[in-house]
Amino acid sequence: MANGYYTALAEGLMDGSIDLDTATVKVALVRGYTFSAAHRTVSDVTGAGGTINGTSAALANKVVTGGVFDADDTTISATASAVNHGLLLYQSSAAAGGADVAATAQRLIAWYDTGTGLPIQPGTGTVTVTWPAANPKILKVG
């Protein structure tokens, strides 16, 4: 198990298809998935055996400054009691924002399954995701 950024993040930041402060960014509880930096969309994660067990609302009060991305802590409603969940950070809308697009177009940003409180062992109910208060916060580029 290991945290990692997807190659799609670097490409999306360079070509404008990922916009962390404008687009809708969400986090999902995922189990049964092995990280691959080559995966590009949420459908790649589910196609590789990952099961989504709940998704947050859009991250609120997003800030991008000094190469660091941060937002308010969030919650996810877990739909099943199961073990060993990681957190999948992804852009659920087009870069300009708006409604969620299909899972085949939702761009992957980062995977977290190692660190304080990870992997997550939810029952059914609400899981609180508390982002680190110090760098790298949600993620740091560069």
Side-chain angles (χ1 to χ4, degrees):
M1 298 204 305
N3 299 335
Y5 298 148
Y6 292 95
T7 303
L9 170 64
E11 292 171 354
L13 292 174
M14 288 185 211
D15 71 13
S17 59
I18 291 180
D19 188 327
L20 295 172
D21 57 356
T22 302
T24 302
V25 177
K26 295 181 180 182
V27 62
L29 282 171
V30 178
R31 68 179 191 271
Y33 172 66
T34 300
F35 173 76
S36 169
H39 288 156
R40 302 184 62 74
T41 66
V42 171
S43 62
D44 291 337
V45 171
T46 57
T51 300
I52 294 176
N53 187 19
T55 302
S56 73
L59 297 184
N61 297 312
K62 297 178 294 177
V63 177
V64 176
T65 184
V68 176
F69 174 61
D70 196 17
D72 290 349
D73 297 341
T74 192
T75 59
I76 301 171
S77 293
T79 58
S81 182
V83 298
N84 297 329
H85 287 75
L87 296 173
L88 178 67
L89 187 69
Y90 65 100
Q91 178 177 289
S92 66
S93 71
D100 287 355
V101 296
T104 55
Q106 293 176 335
R107 298 289 298 264
L108 301 179
I109 297 170
W111 171 253
Y112 306 102
D113 65 4
T114 304
T116 303
L118 293 170
I120 297 170
Q121 315 296 335
T124 56
T126 302
V127 173
T128 300
V129 177
T130 304
W131 303 113
N135 283 341
K137 299 197 179 188
I138 297 176
L139 68 88
K140 181 175 180 154
V141 177

